[in-house]
Amino acid sequence: MQEPRILQVRTQILKKNDELARSMREQFLQAGVFVSNWVSSPGSGKTTLLLETLTHLRNIGQRVAAIVGDLETDNDAQRLAQSGAPVRQIMTHGCCHLEANMVEEQLHNWSLSDFDYLFVENVGNLVCPTSWDLGESLRVALLSVTEGEDKPLKYPGLFNTSDVAVLTKIDLSGPCDFDRDRALENIQRVRPGMPVFELSAKSGEGLDRWFQFLIHQRSATMG
Amino acid sequence: MHELSIALKLVDLACEHASSCQEMQVDAVHIAVGALSHIHEPSLLSGFAIAREGTLVSEAELIIRQVPLVLACTDCERDFESSGIQDLRCPVCHGYSTQVRHGNELDLEFLSLRPRQDENISIGSVSNPARI
């Protein structure tokens, strides 16, 4: 039989998503909107922290908006809308992660230059969102103390592709026997040098530092 | 289950390239998967088997090249292969100044093609297609 012929391709499988994400990122930067993509397991407290973040930033005169992804229901969008910010819900109907085109579709009829910050709350999942660039400038991985210290070791890819980690629900550290030192070490093992914020959206502890970080990151990104 | 999404994107991309030489049959689709890319290979293979149906690559086998995690330590100024993906610190200085050189790959590398055989002509049995 004939020798097979080789057709070289050498292309990223997610090239279309990556190209779209890259052009969205440029669009966001030109419009002056700082975009972050929040990833974590379900129930880590993304929505609660995001509600506090939207509310605080609005109170200090920042223009904020949010897009939230879930398989079903618009419950999270309704909760986030309590902040007064414009919020859009993506229902993925089974898809375990957000893709750049899903976010792009939600941008229609929004004038991006009307916003200083756009927050994208991803589908709660510690595996699948890892590979998908949404055009964000900052990827935030959340880990609640109720999940245990070893989550970063179990799901290294998600932490490794994120820029910053947030330890949430620290008011529950005691009842959960949460080993803080071990958790911090595990985060550094899978993502050496990663900045970590420890906070409780409920008690308010650590929130100021988190808000300051976001404001600083936006300034640094926009130049 | 993001493997099915990835398989669908892979089939689209492979067909895009295969369409330039439709007189050829795609025997195999060769991809590289990095250790950090969180791909469950059996799921990707199953996803590919579903996604290829009715396309230009419907006869193609998916061949996966695993790419180990390779880190570069900027303090030690050397690269090293990591034994696992749970510790990305430098094994020598135990420092945090490491960067991922390889391990994030999720690439379509090449297609293996051969001329389509006329269905009316028997050329004898074809055993396993040659692997590259």
Side-chain angles (χ1 to χ4, degrees):
Chain A
M1 98 181 243
Q2 262 184 289
E3 283 295 304
R5 198 185 117 198
I6 299 305
L7 180 64
Q8 292 289 348
V9 181
R10 305 215 175 281
T11 301
Q12 289 170 314
I13 295 171
L14 302 183
K15 183 179 79 165
K16 285 203 173 125
N17 185 83
D18 291 349
E19 284 174 352
L20 175 60
R22 211 171 299 135
S23 82
M24 285 163 65
R25 187 156 29 246
E26 279 168 22
Q27 201 186 332
F28 294 145
L29 291 174
Q30 275 172 14
V33 56
F34 177 70
V35 180
S36 55
N37 171 12
W38 293 28
V39 292
S40 78
S41 60
S44 67
K46 286 189 295 300
T47 311
T48 307
L49 178 60
L50 189 47
L51 178 57
E52 291 298 322
T53 304
L54 292 169
T55 304
H56 174 80
L57 291 174
R58 266 176 62 83
N59 286 344
I60 60 166
Q62 300 295 305
R63 302 167 307 164
V64 295
I67 294 173
V68 54
D70 281 295
L71 269 64
E72 301 295 341
T73 83
D74 64 351
N75 292 354
D76 280 1
Q78 289 188 31
R79 279 178 66 196
L80 294 174
Q82 291 168 14
S83 67
V87 180
R88 288 182 176 168
Q89 175 83 46
I90 301 174
M91 276 187 258
T92 65
H93 301 300
C95 187
C96 49
H97 58 272
L98 294 182
E99 300 183 15
N101 66 314
M102 299 180 193
V103 174
E104 190 198 27
E105 282 168 19
Q106 299 299 319
L107 302 176
H108 293 155
N109 303 323
W110 263 354
S111 169
L112 287 175
S113 53
D114 289 346
F115 303 128
D116 302 312
Y117 296 84
L118 171 63
F119 297 92
V120 181
E121 182 184 330
N122 216 311
V123 176
N125 184 321
L126 278 173
V127 185
C128 308
T130 305
S131 314
W132 308 88
D133 185 355
L134 304 182
E136 72 267 22
S137 292
L138 184 79
R139 190 176 289 188
V140 182
L142 293 88
L143 167 65
S144 62
V145 301
T146 55
E147 294 171 64
E149 307 81 21
D150 55 356
K151 274 285 157 66
L153 302 184
K154 289 176 174 171
Y155 302 90
L158 187 112
F159 286 87
N160 185 265
T161 53
S162 295
D163 303 296
V164 55
V166 179
L167 272 182
T168 61
K169 308 186 189 180
I170 58 167
D171 53 313
L172 297 177
S173 297
C176 292
D177 285 331
F178 183 70
D179 187 337
R180 173 181 177 270
D181 292 343
R182 180 68 59 82
L184 295 176
E185 189 197 329
N186 288 343
I187 291 170
Q188 295 304 320
R189 277 176 66 168
V190 298
R191 178 72 157 103
M194 187 183 223
V196 182
F197 291 84
E198 300 169 69
L199 52 81
S200 163
K202 201 152 197 173
S203 73
E205 190 181 351
L207 286 183
D208 280 343
R209 217 178 131 239
W210 170 241
F211 300 147
Q212 286 305 318
F213 171 76
L214 288 174
I215 293 165
H216 177 263
Q217 281 300 117
R218 181 181 181 278
S219 308
T221 306
M222 297 304 160
Chain B
M1 268 311 292
H2 60 312
E3 285 83 0
L4 181 57
S5 306
I6 289 168
L8 289 163
K9 300 254 183 321
L10 170 61
V11 166
D12 282 349
L13 187 61
C15 288
E16 214 174 274
H17 288 273
S19 64
S20 60
C21 33
Q22 292 202 27
E23 72 286 4
M24 308 286 276
Q25 174 173 316
V26 182
D27 274 347
V29 172
H30 292 254
I31 65 170
V33 173
L36 266 183
S37 61
H38 264 338
I39 295 295
H40 181 237
E41 283 193 19
S43 301
L44 186 59
L45 290 166
S46 307
F48 183 79
I50 297 164
R52 72 183 173 185
E53 289 284 317
T55 73
L56 282 175
V57 297
S58 60
E59 304 292 319
E61 183 183 3
L62 179 62
I63 297 176
I64 299 173
R65 178 173 73 87
Q66 294 173 338
V67 182
L69 177 59
V70 176
L71 301 170
C73 177
T74 48
D75 292 338
C76 299
E77 294 183 343
R78 61 182 285 259
D79 292 0
F80 52 87
E81 193 171 309
S82 180
S83 53
I85 58 170
Q86 294 181 347
D87 196 345
L88 274 63
R89 293 171 301 184
C90 175
V92 179
C93 70
H94 304 292
Y96 293 158
S97 305
T98 56
Q99 290 171 339
V100 177
R101 275 241 202 281
H102 295 288
N104 283 320
E105 289 81 356
L106 191 52
D107 299 335
L108 171 56
E109 297 197 300
F110 60 92
L111 304 178
S112 172
L113 312 161
R114 75 185 148 86
R116 286 189 187 281
Q117 287 167 14
D118 189 321
E119 283 167 10
N120 297 321
I121 303 170
S122 172
I123 313 181
S125 67
V126 175
S127 56
N128 287 332
R131 298 282 182 90
I132 310 304

